[in-house]
């Protein structure tokens, strides 16, 4: 029987415990996880243990050299154009975000009243998010923080999936362009715990197809084509989120083609027929912590674009 979980389900179905089959229950349950969790480390160089392509895309120079040496996109884990190139297409979306940032409420207050003109006081912070908010006593994404500030301080209803929140988030992220990502997931504390939970969720099988995120985002699937798309390993990608994703959007989206990392995670859950999480929920935030910490040491690139930037990505 190909699917080990089916064995487990069957075993339960006929009311036999795994032990009576002569197989330790632990042996069966470990198939709940896709292999590789133990190799995940909170740094972008962790990719060496997965795809062995890190040498080609670890920085601008490496990318340039690999391209000169004739490396094809798929040989570079499709990371070759991601941050060197900017999407000018995204500028209007950023402007809209900036407009929301400066939008005054009935009392004449805006985000700028507290965080400075042109987001002065929020420069660089995106590279350290998600972060632990002591007052809320939980790890928050920037989207959650924006929602909190909007409602508690400006009396505005900007839930994480609202157009105002997503586009403001995109604008705030752009204030960290070029900043090196640093999420401390090694020091004991709430971020480390969140990273570990997020990692476990990433490798855990779920949903209709019994896929884990890792089924597609680790080799051999990562780096190959999947229905005309190209999943990559999970290292480094968070550096270009929120991403300008033209021309792709989920039905009902009103975000000018901007995908936050939360939205990307949800999109992948839907694609792989997992029950989609609520954006900003503790579990979804944990997955974001895991992905962002897996980009530690890499530079933020906002706005970046996955599509229509360099046709050679189809090589
Ligand atoms: C009345 C002042 C005030 C207003 C207005 C306000 N904030 Fe805040 N903001 C704060 C405080 C205080 C914090 C510290 C964290 C906390 O208490 O939640 C904060 C934290 C933040 C952070 C995290 C900063 C960091 O260094 O980690 C972001 C991002 C942020 N706010 C965005 C916004 C946005 C976007 C708006 C507009 C929707 C906004 N804030 C409106 C006071 C404000
Ligand atoms: C069935 C395969 C599959 C599964 C399972 C899957 N993804 Fe994806 N994922 C993809 C594909 C294909 C893309 C590329 C889509 C694109 O180009 O935008 C992608 C893109 C992404 C990206 C953007 C960076 C990149 O690699 O292009 C992130 C982040 C991501 N997925 C996270 C997740 C998470 C978290 C999960 C689990 C909840 C997950 N994925 C599950 C196929 C999958």
């Amino acid at each position: 029987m190909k699917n080990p979980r089916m064995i487990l389900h069957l075993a339960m179905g006929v009311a036999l415990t795994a032990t009576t089959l002569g197989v330790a229950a632990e042996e069966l349950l470990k198939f709940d996880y896709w292999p590789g969790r133990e190799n995940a480390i909170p740094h972008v160089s962790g990719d060496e243990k997965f795809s062995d392509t890190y040498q080609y895309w670890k920085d601008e120079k490496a990318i340039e050299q690999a391209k000169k040496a004739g490396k094809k996109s798929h040989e570079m884990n499709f990371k070759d154009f991601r941050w060197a190139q900017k999407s000018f297409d995204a500028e209007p979306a950023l402007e809209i975000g900036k407009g929301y940032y400066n939008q005054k409420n009935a009392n004449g207050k805006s985000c700028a009243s507290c965080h400075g003109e042109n987001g002065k006081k929020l420069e660089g912070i995106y590279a350290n998010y998600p972060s632990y908010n002591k007052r809320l006593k939980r790890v928050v994404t920037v989207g959650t923080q924006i929602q909190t500030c909007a409602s508690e301080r400006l009396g505005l209803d900007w839930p994480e999936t609202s157009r105002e929140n997503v586009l403001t988030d995109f604008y705030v992220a752009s204030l960290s362009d070029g900043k090196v990502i640093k999420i401390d997931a090694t020091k004991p504390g709430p971020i480390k715990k969140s990273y570990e939970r997020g990692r476990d969720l990433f490798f855990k099988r779920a949903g209709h197809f019994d896929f884990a995120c890792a089924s597609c985002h680790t080799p051999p699937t990562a780096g190959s084509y999947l229905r005309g798309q190209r999943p990559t390993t999970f290292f480094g990608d968070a550096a270009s989120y929120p991403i300008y994703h033209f021309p792709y959007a989920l039905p009902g989206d009103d975000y000018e083609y901007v995908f936050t990392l939360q939205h990307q995670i949800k999109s992948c859950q839907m694609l792989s027929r997992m029950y989609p999480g609520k954006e900003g929920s503790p579990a979804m935030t944990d997955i974001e912590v895991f992905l962002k910490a897996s980009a530690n040491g890499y530079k933020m690139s906002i706005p970046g674009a996955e599509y229509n930037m360099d046709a050679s990505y189809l090589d």
Side-chain angles (χ1 to χ4, degrees):
M1 210 174 296
K2 279 210 180 103
N3 183 343
R5 247 177 68 165
M6 245 161 82
I7 304 178
L8 183 66
H9 291 166
L10 274 178
M12 292 194 299
V14 292
L16 285 174
T17 63
T19 332
T20 57
L21 285 172
V23 189
E26 257 171 49
E27 271 302 297
L28 287 174
L29 282 170
K30 81 180 180 198
F31 294 112
D32 270 358
Y33 288 101
W34 187 262
R37 262 187 314 162
E38 62 290 351
N39 290 327
I41 59 160
H43 192 268
V44 67
S45 63
D47 199 52
E48 281 165 3
K49 284 250 164 87
F50 286 85
S51 77
D52 201 20
T53 59
Y54 179 60
Q55 52 189 308
Y56 305 128
W57 54 269
K58 63 180 177 181
D59 52 32
E60 283 110 328
K61 215 171 139 209
I63 292 174
E64 202 183 308
Q65 279 173 356
K67 276 185 155 179
K68 266 200 196 133
K71 284 271 171 241
K72 298 274 193 199
S73 289
H74 71 268
E75 292 167 311
M76 295 171 69
N77 196 6
F78 292 105
K79 312 247 186 190
D80 51 334
F81 62 95
R82 289 187 177 227
W83 40 281
Q85 290 177 312
K86 291 288 178 201
S87 169
F88 295 117
D89 283 357
E91 295 293 332
L94 278 179
E95 279 304 311
I96 298 172
K98 190 175 178 181
Y100 287 131
Y101 179 84
N102 289 314
Q103 184 179 295
K104 293 194 167 75
N105 71 359
N107 301 324
K109 295 265 181 253
S110 69
C111 311
S113 312
C114 295
H115 296 296
E117 218 176 301
N118 298 320
K120 195 79 196 125
K121 295 184 187 155
L122 297 178
E123 278 171 13
I125 64 123
Y126 214 98
N128 310 118
Y129 266 79
S131 163
Y132 183 71
N133 183 312
K134 284 192 198 120
R135 203 172 49 84
L136 300 177
K137 294 195 178 58
R138 62 162 289 207
V139 178
V140 293
T141 61
V142 168
T144 304
Q145 180 67 55
I146 293 174
Q147 174 179 25
T148 308
C149 276
S151 81
E152 292 182 3
R153 290 160 176 142
L154 295 171
L156 298 169
D157 185 23
W158 289 8
E160 273 138 283
T161 46
S162 65
R163 177 178 164 85
E164 292 89 344
N165 191 312
V166 168
L167 293 170
T168 308
D169 190 306
F170 191 37
Y171 170 65
V172 171
S174 74
L175 305 170
S176 298
D177 185 37
K179 183 103 193 293
V180 173
I181 294 171
K182 187 165 182 276
I183 309 284
D184 193 350
T186 47
K187 190 178 78 206
I191 293 289
K192 181 169 189 279
K193 282 198 192 124
S194 175
Y195 169 85
E196 285 165 0
R197 284 191 304 262
R199 176 200 59 200
D200 290 358
L201 289 174
F202 192 86
F203 282 87
K204 194 173 169 62
R205 294 169 177 276
H208 207 148
F209 294 149
D210 217 16
F211 281 155
C213 308
S215 315
C216 294
H217 289 289
T218 61
T221 320
S224 344
Y225 287 109
L226 199 64
R227 223 188 48 189
Q229 288 183 309
R230 41 184 178 73
T232 74
T233 54
F234 54 93
F235 291 93
D237 286 333
S240 44
Y241 277 78
I243 205 157
Y244 183 71
H245 217 295
F246 183 82
Y248 293 90
L250 298 182
D253 280 6
D254 187 18
Y255 312 138
E256 305 288 333
Y257 303 104
V258 171
F259 266 57
T260 60
L261 198 46
Q262 288 290 301
H263 203 54
Q264 175 69 57
I265 297 166
K266 191 167 87 180
S267 159
C268 270
Q269 287 168 332
M270 288 160 79
L271 153 103
S272 48
R273 300 221 196 142
M274 297 172 187
Y275 193 82
K278 187 171 169 349
E279 295 183 37
S281 74
M284 291 286 278
T285 302
D286 290 341
I287 299 176
E288 178 155 337
V289 168
F290 170 68
L291 292 172
K292 195 76 176 276
S294 301
N296 270 342
Y298 217 50
K299 275 195 226 162
M300 295 270 301
S301 180
I302 312 284
E306 283 189 285
Y307 289 96
N308 301 337
M309 292 303 295
D310 182 347
S312 71
Y313 82 75
L314 289 174
D315 287 350

